[in-house]
Amino acid sequence: EAGVTQSPRYAVLQEGQAVSFWCDPISGHDTLYWYQQPRDQGPQLLVYFRDEAVIDNSQLPSDRFSAVRPKGTNSTLKIQSAKQGDTATYLCASSLWVNYAEQFFGPGTRLTVL
Amino acid sequence: GQQVQQSPASLVLQEGENAELQCNFSTSLNSMQWFYQRPEGSLVSLFYNPSGTKQSGRLTSTTVIKERRSSLHISSSQITDSGTYLCAMELSGSFNKLTFGAGTRLAVCP
């Protein structure tokens, strides 16, 4: 069974540029999560979906970040006008929508904003 | 304050030594997971362990819900165990939302 896949694996931008990250969850998983992991910190949840619906995006910097999952399968996280403080690894995870769900993570996208 | 605290922040072992990594949480929780993060960044789930003790090879996880703590024991460490170990909690009242600790960075030397 294929795991969670993400692309690209690496991205390097100048401040002010835009970037999109793509995630394909495990087949059959209805819940998808996006995390941001700054260097030397644990991952922090940005947003998560059940099917195509946003369940919680309270930690998403809404002025520059957006996330969609239009068909309830793949998802895209976009950063408009990136800042140096956005430098981090962006991780996607998926799970079933059940109590005490185990989450499975993709390889991540390592973003550097110069 | 921080809801999930991991200790130690970093650890250096000689190959063959044992290690005990700790995770403490300040509020009640529904479940927790231990992850290993490879140097290139990918996360591997080690244990999904709502409570009690689980073992997988040289790794043992013990979670005591009512004491709000979990530990990961690594026996007979190997160089390939080097990396970051993260614990993550699903806190009560936060359905399916994981809160991570900052991690323990382990280096195993020959």
Side-chain angles (χ1 to χ4, degrees):
Chain A
E1 178 183 313
V4 178
T5 56
Q6 292 186 244
S7 64
R9 292 298 313 278
Y10 303 91
V12 180
L13 306 175
Q14 298 289 334
E15 272 200 322
Q17 290 185 306
V19 64
S20 291
F21 309 132
W22 179 85
C23 175
D24 189 5
I26 291 172
S27 178
H29 280 188
D30 50 4
T31 312
L32 184 147
Y33 313 79
W34 283 104
Y35 291 84
Q36 180 192 58
Q37 185 179 18
R39 186 176 176 82
D40 294 332
Q41 297 183 34
Q44 298 155 17
L45 182 67
L46 291 174
V47 58
Y48 75 116
F49 299 84
R50 182 185 182 185
D51 298 320
E52 67 278 5
V54 173
I55 302 301
D56 188 337
N57 62 358
S58 59
Q59 301 305 309
L60 196 66
S62 58
D63 58 334
R64 297 184 299 107
F65 285 63
S66 62
V68 294
R69 194 185 184 200
K71 296 183 180 179
T73 52
N74 303 334
S75 176
T76 303
L77 176 69
K78 184 173 183 178
I79 306 176
Q80 301 269 24
S81 189
K83 299 181 178 180
Q84 287 187 352
D86 299 332
T87 294
T89 297
Y90 291 83
L91 294 159
C92 179
S94 71
S95 75
L96 296 173
W97 182 265
V98 295
N99 285 329
Y100 318 136
E102 183 175 6
Q103 295 186 22
F104 297 87
F105 282 76
T109 297
R110 188 168 291 184
L111 173 67
T112 302
V113 183
L114 303 174
Chain B
Q2 210 169 359
Q3 293 177 300
V4 182
Q5 293 196 326
Q6 284 192 249
S7 61
S10 61
L11 184 61
V12 180
L13 298 176
Q14 292 290 321
E15 195 172 13
E17 290 183 327
N18 299 333
E20 185 96 357
L21 311 181
Q22 299 289 341
C23 192
N24 294 282
F25 31 97
S26 58
T27 63
S28 57
L29 74 159
N30 294 332
S31 66
M32 62 85 57
Q33 280 185 259
W34 279 100
F35 294 92
Y36 167 68
Q37 189 163 36
R38 297 191 178 105
E40 90 278 10
S42 60
L43 280 172
V44 177
S45 180
L46 299 174
F47 292 102
Y48 170 69
N49 185 12
S51 65
T53 298
K54 291 187 177 179
Q55 183 175 2
S56 176
R58 296 180 294 105
L59 303 180
T60 303
S61 167
T62 300
T63 299
V64 184
I65 296 287
K66 62 180 180 181
E67 295 181 10
R68 300 182 177 178
R69 62 175 177 86
S70 182
S71 64
L72 179 68
H73 183 82
I74 305 173
S75 63
S76 303
S77 62
Q78 300 177 359
I79 294 172
T80 52
D81 294 334
S82 298
T84 299
Y85 292 81
L86 293 158
C87 66
M89 313 290 179
E90 181 187 323
L91 302 175
S92 292
S94 58
F95 187 77
N96 281 357
K97 289 172 63 174
L98 288 181
T99 299
F100 280 81
T104 294
R105 284 150 197 82
L106 175 66
V108 182
C109 303

